[in-house]
Amino acid sequence: MSIKVRYFASLKENLAKSEDIVDSQKNMTVADVWLLANPDKIISENTLAAVNMDYVALTQAVNAGDEVAFFPPVTGG
Amino acid sequence: MSIKVRYFASLKENLAKSEDIVDSQKNMTVADVWLLANPDKIISENTLAAVNMDYVALTQAVNAGDEVAFFPPVTGG
Amino acid sequence: MKVKIVETTLNPWQEVEDYQQEAIALRGKFGATNIFIGTMRDFNEGDEVTAMTLEHYAGMTEKQLENIIKEAMQQWDVLDVLIVHRVGELLPNQPIVLVAVWTSHRGDAFDASRYIMEALKTKAPFWKKETLVNGSRWVDKNTDGYKKS
Amino acid sequence: MKVKIVETTLNPWQEVEDYQQEAIALRGKFGATNIFIGTMRDFNEGDEVTAMTLEHYAGMTEKQLENIIKEAMQQWDVLDVLIVHRVGELLPNQPIVLVAVWTSHRGDAFDASRYIMEALKTKAPFWKKETLVNGSRWVDKNTDGYKKS
């Protein structure tokens, strides 16, 4: 299955990329998606994750066609 | 001494007057001012009193030239 | 800070915009503004209300409102406050009162604005008389504004 | 209710006035409006800030803000809500966010407005990058807004 991955703000700058597409034959969690997209980078403990624009835990399963996003703590308002 | 007395809102309507001038040779409290101005009317327990535009208790002494006001609970805002 | 009693229609947006425009000292310094507007409804206590007359004790209203602002400024970090209150004849949907508070941080803006509104309702000498379909009546006390309906 | 993300200058007074003008159903029904406006300051964490860039996750911001409004409406008697949030390049003294809440009674207006602002700060995917005199930096977390300074 193919998953679109998006990065925002300081995380996007640090990774020097705004998007990835990851493919896998196996079922994946959000943490698996990160690992596949960033095999050499440990996810920072304050990084937030969303699937289809809802906040999720890293243990959340993903499905084909999902949009997964990773970003730092939000600072709007 | 001469004291100006003012009434507002429903109290003004009930008394059918907006002002009084009371005179006395003796020292007076706010309660005395009411009695002198309205000898036949007991002051309602929810009536508020002010001297020179500050809230006071009925036991507050008044001085010559003071403006005393009586009015019902306020309902602004 | 400014306290203003108006006898004609109160335009809250214009009041706040004009005041902020003139408050040069605030520029770049305030991070939070909280504004409360009280507006006349067309019903109260189960009855249709067609108009309202707001009486006030001129002089004492200003004095009490200025005291309330000072009390708020003693309790919270407040940069500026504007209070505008309508008196005279009002129709439903017209604004009655505007409280605007400028602060550096949002907590102070919410807290001070709420404090000022509650104190105004308790201490500022205004009285409402409602015009109903049949006759009129004085509002005898303010609702607490916080009870669950 | 309405959620709006704007890339150009946010005029909070115009936004609220326009929205209220169109909200025919509110007329005569609302007694209280609480408005919060967050504005860019010219200093932060002890440094002069000359400009700011606000990034957001388009789509998720709207989804999260709509959820927040629904949560507020479940907890308080709220008639209507408008949220407008700025993104892109900002200068000091420019508004960042507007929250406006219309209710029958004032307690609900204060409570819901504050709830929405706190939830927005925690959940809405916006990120601030500050331009300083020398370089720039991401704001790494929101201040709690309630600490005593």
Side-chain angles (χ1 to χ4, degrees):
Chain A
M1 63 179 167
S2 175
I3 302 286
K4 183 177 180 182
V5 189
R6 302 183 65 182
Y7 308 101
F8 291 93
S10 57
L11 185 61
K12 176 175 69 181
E13 285 190 0
N14 293 342
L15 296 174
K17 61 184 176 184
S18 63
E19 288 188 22
D20 275 316
I21 302 285
V22 300
D23 279 289
S24 170
Q25 303 296 84
K26 293 184 287 185
N27 290 335
M28 286 191 291
T29 65
V30 171
D32 295 332
V33 170
W34 174 275
L35 270 174
L36 208 54
N38 304 284
D40 55 346
K41 290 223 166 63
I42 291 169
I43 189 167
S44 158
E45 80 176 0
N46 69 1
T47 296
L48 300 171
V51 171
N52 299 334
M53 303 183 176
D54 284 318
Y55 287 99
V56 294
L58 296 179
T59 51
Q60 171 83 28
V62 295
N63 298 306
D66 279 355
E67 176 169 297
V68 176
F70 296 101
F71 46 79
V74 302
T75 57
Chain B
M1 61 177 168
S2 175
I3 302 287
K4 183 178 180 181
V5 189
R6 302 184 65 182
Y7 309 101
F8 291 92
S10 56
L11 185 60
K12 176 175 70 181
E13 284 190 0
N14 293 342
L15 297 173
K17 60 185 177 184
S18 64
E19 288 189 21
D20 274 316
I21 303 285
V22 299
D23 278 289
S24 169
Q25 302 295 83
K26 294 184 286 185
N27 291 334
M28 286 191 291
T29 63
V30 171
D32 295 331
V33 170
W34 174 276
L35 270 173
L36 209 55
N38 304 284
D40 55 347
K41 290 224 165 61
I42 291 169
I43 189 167
S44 157
E45 78 177 359
N46 68 1
T47 296
L48 300 171
V51 171
N52 299 332
M53 303 183 177
D54 283 320
Y55 287 99
V56 295
L58 296 179
T59 52
Q60 170 84 27
V62 296
N63 298 306
D66 279 354
E67 176 170 299
V68 176
F70 297 101
F71 46 80
V74 302
T75 56
Chain C
M1 68 183 213
K2 187 174 174 184
V3 167
K4 193 171 153 187
I5 310 297
V6 294
E7 293 187 38
T8 50
T9 307
L10 193 179
N11 180 330
W13 326 122
Q14 197 63 49
E15 293 284 353
V16 175
E17 189 173 11
D18 289 352
Y19 188 73
Q20 192 172 290
Q21 199 67 33
E22 287 168 26
I24 310 289
L26 284 176
R27 286 196 193 151
K29 306 306 168 207
F30 68 100
T33 313
N34 190 271
I35 296 167
F36 179 86
I37 296 153
T39 301
M40 190 188 156
R41 297 190 300 156
D42 60 10
F43 59 96
N44 191 27
E45 305 278 332
D47 296 305
E48 188 184 340
V49 183
T50 58
M52 183 184 273
T53 307
L54 254 160
E55 182 175 335
H56 80 305
Y57 182 176
M60 182 164 175
T61 44
E62 292 85 344
K63 187 175 190 178
Q64 294 297 320
L65 292 173
E66 283 162 14
N67 283 345
I68 289 167
I69 293 175
K70 283 176 203 153
E71 287 163 15
M73 286 182 156
Q74 281 161 9
Q75 293 174 75
W76 294 281
D77 285 336
V78 171
L79 296 168
D80 211 339
V81 176
L82 169 67
I83 302 177
V84 186
H85 203 293
R86 179 79 186 276
V87 293
E89 304 290 321
L90 280 85
L91 295 173
N93 205 42
Q94 291 187 337
I96 300 168
V97 61
L98 161 74
V99 171
V101 176
W102 287 266
T103 65
S104 296
H105 301 290
R106 67 190 189 281
D108 291 325
F110 278 108
D111 285 340
S113 173
R114 187 169 193 146
Y115 174 85
I116 290 168
M117 264 311 296
E118 295 316 297
L120 181 156
K121 288 244 165 200
T122 314
K123 296 180 190 167
F126 294 102
W127 300 275
K128 288 176 181 148
K129 189 177 196 176
E130 296 175 336
T131 306
L132 308 179
V133 178
N134 304 312
S136 66
R137 67 180 175 203
W138 288 97
V139 177
D140 62 351
K141 61 176 191 293
N142 269 323
T143 53
D144 77 358
Y146 295 95
K147 67 178 174 198
K148 282 289 151 192
S149 53
Chain D
M1 69 184 211
K2 187 172 172 184
V3 167
K4 192 171 153 187
I5 310 298
V6 294
E7 293 187 37
T8 50
T9 308
L10 193 178
N11 180 330
W13 326 121
Q14 198 62 49
E15 293 284 353
V16 175
E17 188 171 13
D18 290 351
Y19 188 72
Q20 193 172 290
Q21 199 67 33
E22 288 167 25
I24 309 289
L26 284 177
R27 285 195 194 153
K29 305 307 168 205
F30 68 100
T33 313
N34 190 271
I35 295 167
F36 179 85
I37 296 153
T39 301
M40 189 187 155
R41 297 191 301 156
D42 60 11
F43 59 98
N44 191 28
E45 305 279 333
D47 296 305
E48 188 183 339
V49 182
T50 58
M52 183 184 274
T53 307
L54 255 160
E55 182 176 335
H56 80 306
Y57 183 176
M60 183 165 173
T61 43
E62 291 85 344
K63 187 175 191 179
Q64 293 296 321
L65 292 173
E66 284 162 13
N67 283 345
I68 289 167
I69 293 175
K70 282 175 204 155
E71 287 164 16
M73 287 182 156
Q74 281 161 9
Q75 293 175 76
W76 294 283
D77 285 336
V78 171
L79 296 169
D80 211 339
V81 175
L82 169 67
I83 302 177
V84 186
H85 203 293
R86 178 78 186 276
V87 293
E89 303 291 319
L90 279 86
L91 295 173
N93 207 43
Q94 291 187 337
I96 300 168
V97 60
L98 161 73
V99 171
V101 176
W102 288 266
T103 64
S104 296
H105 302 290
R106 68 190 187 283
D108 291 325
F110 278 108
D111 286 339
S113 173
R114 188 168 194 148
Y115 174 84
I116 290 168
M117 264 311 295
E118 295 316 298
L120 181 156
K121 288 243 166 202
T122 314
K123 296 180 191 166
F126 295 101
W127 300 275
K128 288 177 182 146
K129 189 177 195 175
E130 296 175 337
T131 305
L132 308 178
V133 178
N134 305 311
S136 65
R137 67 180 174 201
W138 289 97
V139 177
D140 62 352
K141 61 175 191 293
N142 270 322
T143 54
D144 78 357
Y146 295 95
K147 68 178 176 197
K148 283 288 152 195
S149 53

